[in-house]
Amino acid sequence: MLRKVIQIGDPVLRQKCETVTRFDKELCALLDDMKETVRKYEGAGLAAPQVGVPIRAVVVDVAEGYFEFINPVFVWQKGEQVGPEGCLSVVGKAGTVCRPDKVKIVFQDRKGDKYSLVARGFFARAICHECDHLDGIIYVDKATDLRDVED
Ligand code: NI
């Protein structure tokens, strides 16, 4: 089921999200809906607070594949990359953001199993952007040249 993407200005986007402790049907339904929603709007990722659920769950949909990260934590971040970003919660805007070039995260999947993953380039950027949402941070807070764009 498609979910409504909450827009900047709503306080749900500014709170620190709760750790996921229940790996149940409700979480599966949320993740399925987030996948459908991120694909519908052609985003590179989506965080649970963006659909009004303030828990530590994100999806990332990039060239490397579609990923679900529950309770993601950075192990390390290396290097630097500067590039453009947008956000499904900030329609009609884009900005330039400096991010690490390579990251390692540990996370759980929808069953609660633990994994680690190394990402670089745009994949790393998408992970950083989505994980920021879990701490109430939106890319516009970090962008150097926020500008209007046509959709
Ligand atoms: Ni975003």
Side-chain angles (χ1 to χ4, degrees):
M1 193 177 69
L2 210 57
R3 301 244 183 162
K4 184 171 177 247
V5 180
I6 291 172
Q7 293 300 302
I8 191 168
D10 191 307
V12 75
L13 293 177
R14 291 305 194 176
Q15 65 192 81
K16 187 164 171 65
C17 296
E18 297 288 332
T19 299
V20 175
T21 54
R22 289 199 309 273
F23 295 83
D24 55 8
K25 274 196 286 189
E26 195 182 335
L27 178 66
C28 290
L30 171 68
L31 290 165
D32 289 344
D33 290 352
M34 287 170 67
K35 181 179 186 178
E36 188 177 333
T37 305
V38 77
R39 294 214 154 144
K40 164 82 174 174
Y41 297 112
E42 300 179 337
L46 191 65
Q50 292 183 273
V51 295
V53 185
I55 62 168
R56 304 190 80 79
V58 307
V59 303
V60 170
D61 196 17
V62 291
E64 287 82 354
Y66 168 80
F67 298 86
E68 296 172 347
F69 302 127
I70 317 300
N71 300 326
V73 175
F74 290 97
V75 178
W76 48 251
Q77 312 185 5
K78 290 178 185 173
E80 223 177 66
Q81 58 170 318
V82 175
E85 284 186 30
C87 179
L88 295 180
S89 292
V90 191
V91 168
K93 299 275 186 191
T96 303
V97 185
C98 182
R99 299 282 190 186
D101 185 51
K102 199 173 173 186
V103 299
K104 181 176 183 177
I105 58 167
V106 290
F107 63 97
Q108 287 167 279
D109 69 4
R110 59 166 70 192
K111 291 186 288 189
D113 293 329
K114 292 179 181 172
Y115 297 90
S116 68
L117 174 130
V118 173
R120 67 197 329 159
F122 186 75
F123 188 14
R125 173 179 297 282
I127 290 171
C128 293
H129 176 118
E130 299 312 329
C131 288
D132 269 355
H133 277 298
L134 304 182
D135 293 321
I137 299 164
I138 302 175
Y139 85 95
V140 298
D141 305 339
K142 297 180 169 179
T144 51
D145 63 339
L146 196 66
R147 55 196 183 271
D148 294 324
V149 290
E150 301 203 9
D151 285 322

